[in-house]
């Protein structure tokens, strides 16, 4: 609800913009009884108090809806307002984590209090989820309740009044160069060999690797463009000509070794296609099975996990290959801005937060220069 002050015959009036349940809009004029002269602050305060009162009075309380049911309906509402990949992430969190809990509590949307949400968060944290994951749950609940406030279903957003745990600084695990060589030897001639090589060479996200198409690779100009992504959604996959953010849409040089390797992979796929004929699935994706079928994102992660365990390599996530690639770039003298552009981060602060600790060598260089400048004649 909104409102403003108007002056009529020397006195302040409050004009409230009311929205009824049927969608009809109207204005209500209320006298403050305050003369215009020297009373603006008092009138503004009275306006704020009146708006709060009317918001509470106008909340629809006759029809209570279970909170879990509201979250279910909110998914249908938000579906048309966001891209498919974003909606997919909302749906997975809401259906798999939020709805099951609140379905058991039988709390209605109108009865929901900060304490109820806080209790849910505490239960999930005790169950083993991280503060970072909880932040994603909170984002969904907060966004949904914001809609409820705008729709005049509740007077305020209870999620705004809960305490979230402090996020621990994330430090990704990485492989050494010798461990990377061991990994590359271990994945040779497996269905995920190409994906691992792309991850190590460019530090690509899993969705970017699975989504890379031959049409995005220019062998003549020696470039590849990151512009298409593939993400998993249970039994389905979401393929979109959309990257995680604007900076993720980027053109990278096709490095010499990878240029030759991908040419061989492409030629091999063309040979298999010619042999299989109409049975071959012509998807144009680089990372695929022998019949052309796209490799699923979750299969890539599972296969990677099995290979590193069977070869005695340290346990890391597939995404940690991205961190490994970044750490190698930094250790070879590339600065954070260059690494940020290579990885496709939206902001250099993201790169700094994750990888600043790896720039220790630059600190050693600075320290040595300071020592040479001020203390060389004293040693």
């Amino acid at each position: 609800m909104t409102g403003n002050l108007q002056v009529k015959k020397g006195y302040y009036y409050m004009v409230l913009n009311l929205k009824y349940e049927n969608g009809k809009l109207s204005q209500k004029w209320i006298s403050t009884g305050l003369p215009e002269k020297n009373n603006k602050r008092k009138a503004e305060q009275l306006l704020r108090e009146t708006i709060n009162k009317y918001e509470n009075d106008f909340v629809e309380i006759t029809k209570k809806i279970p909170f879990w049911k509201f979250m279910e309906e909110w998914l249908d509402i938000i579906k048309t307002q966001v891209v498919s990949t974003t909606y997919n992430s909302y749906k997975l969190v809401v259906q798999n984590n939020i709805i099951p809990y609140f379905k058991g509590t039988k709390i209605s949307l109108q009865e929901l209090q900060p304490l109820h949400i806080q209790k849910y968060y505490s239960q999930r944290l005790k169950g083993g989820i991280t503060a970072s994951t909880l932040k994603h749950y909170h984002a969904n609940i907060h966004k949904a309740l914001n809609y409820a406030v705008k729709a005049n279903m509740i007077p305020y957003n209870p999620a705004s009044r809960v305490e979230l745990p402090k996020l621990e600084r994330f430090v990704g695990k990485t492989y050494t160069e010798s461990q990377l060589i061991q990994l590359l030897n271990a994945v040779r001639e497996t269905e995920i060999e190409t994906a691992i090589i792309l991850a190590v060479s460019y530090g690509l996200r899993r969705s970017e690797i699975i989504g890379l198409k031959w049409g995005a690779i220019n062998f003549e100009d020696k470039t590849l463009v990151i512009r298409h992504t593939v993400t998993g959604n249970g039994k389905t996959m979401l393929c979109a000509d959309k990257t995680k953010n604007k900076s993720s849409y980027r053109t990278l040089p096709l490095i010499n070794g990878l240029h030759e390797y991908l040419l061989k992979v492409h030629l091999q796929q063309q040979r298999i296609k010619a042999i299989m004929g109409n049975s071959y699935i012509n998807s144009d994706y680089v990372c695929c099975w022998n019949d052309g079928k796209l490799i699923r994102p979750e299969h890539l992660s599972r296969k990677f996990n099995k290979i590193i365990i069977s070869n005695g390599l340290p346990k890391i996530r597939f995404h940690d290959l991205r961190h490994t690639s970044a750490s190698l770039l930094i250790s070879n003298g590339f600065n954070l801005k260059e690494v940020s552009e290579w990885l496709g981060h939206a902001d250099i602060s993201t790169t700094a937060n994750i990888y600043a600790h790896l720039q220790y060598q630059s600190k050693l260089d600075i320290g040595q220069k300071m020592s040479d400048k001020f203390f060389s004649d004293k040693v």
Side-chain angles (χ1 to χ4, degrees), residues 1-6 13-18 28 47 51:
M1 182 183 298
T2 61
N4 60 82
L5 293 173
Q6 296 287 341
Y13 281 78
M14 297 176 289
V15 183
L16 304 183
N17 302 310
L18 306 179
K28 184 177 182 66
L47 174 64
I51 287 176

Side-chain angles (χ1 to χ4, degrees), residues 21 47 52 54 56 106 172 196 237 255 278 304 312 343-344 362 366:
E21 186 183 359
L47 174 64
N52 287 336
Y54 268 79
N56 289 332
K106 298 181 180 180
I196 298 299
M237 285 187 288
I255 55 182
N278 293 333
F304 170 73
L343 295 177
S362 65
I366 293 172

Side-chain angles (χ1 to χ4, degrees), residues 30-138:
I30 303 174
S31 174
T32 66
L34 298 172
E36 179 183 7
K37 187 175 181 180
N38 299 325
N39 282 307
K40 185 175 181 180
R41 288 188 178 180
K42 288 183 180 180
E44 290 175 341
Q45 177 63 29
L46 186 58
L47 174 64
R48 288 192 292 268
E49 294 173 354
T50 303
I51 287 176
N52 287 336
K53 180 180 182 301
Y54 268 79
E55 282 183 337
N56 289 332
D57 291 343
F58 265 71
V59 169
E60 172 60 48
I61 60 174
T62 57
K63 180 185 175 184
K64 290 185 178 180
I65 175 175
F67 178 58
W68 72 266
K69 187 68 176 177
F70 163 74
M71 291 299 298
E72 203 172 58
E73 293 178 359
W74 175 74
L75 283 177
D76 291 334
I77 294 168
I78 202 70
K79 188 173 184 178
T80 59
Q81 301 175 21
V82 296
V83 297
S84 58
T85 51
T86 301
Y87 173 74
N88 174 53
S89 66
Y90 288 165
K91 186 177 179 180
L92 288 175
V93 169
V94 172
Q95 289 189 338
N96 297 342
N97 300 284
I98 298 174
I99 287 179
Y101 174 86
F102 284 100
K103 202 169 186 178
T105 65
K106 298 181 180 180
I107 297 171
S108 71
L109 169 65
Q110 290 77 13
E111 295 169 333
L112 188 68
Q113 297 294 316
L115 185 62
H116 297 134
I117 302 173
Q118 195 79 62
K119 186 177 179 180
Y120 167 63
Y121 290 170
S122 297
Q123 189 253 21
R124 298 302 294 161
L125 287 169
K126 289 178 182 177
I129 71 167
T130 64
S132 178
T133 299
L134 184 64
K135 184 180 178 181
H136 292 300
Y137 293 3
H138 176 73

Side-chain angles (χ1 to χ4, degrees), residues 92 226 336:
L92 288 175
I226 305 302
L336 289 179

